[in-house]
Amino acid sequence: MSNALRPRIGVNKDTQFFWDGLKQGKLLIQHCQACDQLQHPPGPCCKHCQSFELDAIESTGRGTIHSFVRMHHPVVPPFESGHPIVLVELEEGTRLIADFINSTPDQVFIGAAVKVAITECDDEVTLALFEPASA
Ligand code: ZN
């Protein structure tokens, strides 16, 4: 296992609430008050109707794997060769990309039930990783 730090997160005025939520143990998803749609990653306006009337909902963190890849090459510490990266479809109906942890290769497949594992990686970085729902 490498001692390398994870890449730093990109925080701006549009994404601050998301990162603050993770520090509080909450997975927050941006919600449009005008058209009631969700979007991730967060942006300055609604990608569906361009409204600026945005707030956030707290996700249950449950969902399914919509798609995935395994990163083999190049090896970039702290990531190990072959680690799975999943596109999760949250049960609220929006998707996000995350590392998939605490899993065996047979648990990584399209349609697999997953749950969020909010993980404090170091003093600066808390991430929404995902793991098998049964973990
Ligand atoms: Zn909207």
Side-chain angles (χ1 to χ4, degrees):
M1 191 59 100
S2 169
N3 290 327
L5 294 176
R6 281 181 168 267
R8 302 296 86 185
I9 56 177
V11 182
N12 61 38
K13 287 168 59 177
D14 299 322
T15 63
Q16 183 77 56
F17 79 93
F18 177 77
W19 302 113
D20 290 348
L22 291 177
K23 293 262 186 202
Q24 298 165 10
K26 299 175 182 176
L27 176 59
L28 300 178
I29 302 296
Q30 197 169 44
H31 167 258
C32 177
Q33 297 175 31
C35 74
D36 203 33
Q37 294 288 310
L38 299 173
Q39 64 181 9
H40 187 84
C45 70
C46 175
K47 70 179 182 182
H48 306 282
C49 75
Q50 290 72 55
S51 170
F52 291 97
E53 300 302 316
L54 300 168
D55 59 11
I57 61 134
E58 182 176 352
S59 170
T60 63
R62 292 190 297 268
T64 55
I65 295 177
H66 181 78
S67 188
F68 68 94
V69 296
R70 290 186 179 278
M71 192 176 93
H72 291 281
H73 183 79
V75 175
V76 179
F79 306 105
E80 295 178 357
S81 179
H83 84 277
I85 301 167
V86 292
L87 175 62
V88 173
E89 176 135 4
L90 293 172
E91 63 181 14
E92 292 84 3
T94 193
R95 297 174 184 162
L96 53 81
I97 296 170
D99 285 347
F100 198 55
I101 61 171
N102 302 327
S103 66
T104 56
D106 65 317
Q107 292 175 306
V108 186
F109 59 91
I110 292 171
V114 299
K115 65 181 180 185
V116 73
I118 295 176
T119 304
E120 184 177 325
C121 301
D122 56 55
D123 289 345
E124 291 179 34
V125 177
T126 299
L127 298 176
L129 308 180
F130 279 79
E131 64 186 0
S134 58

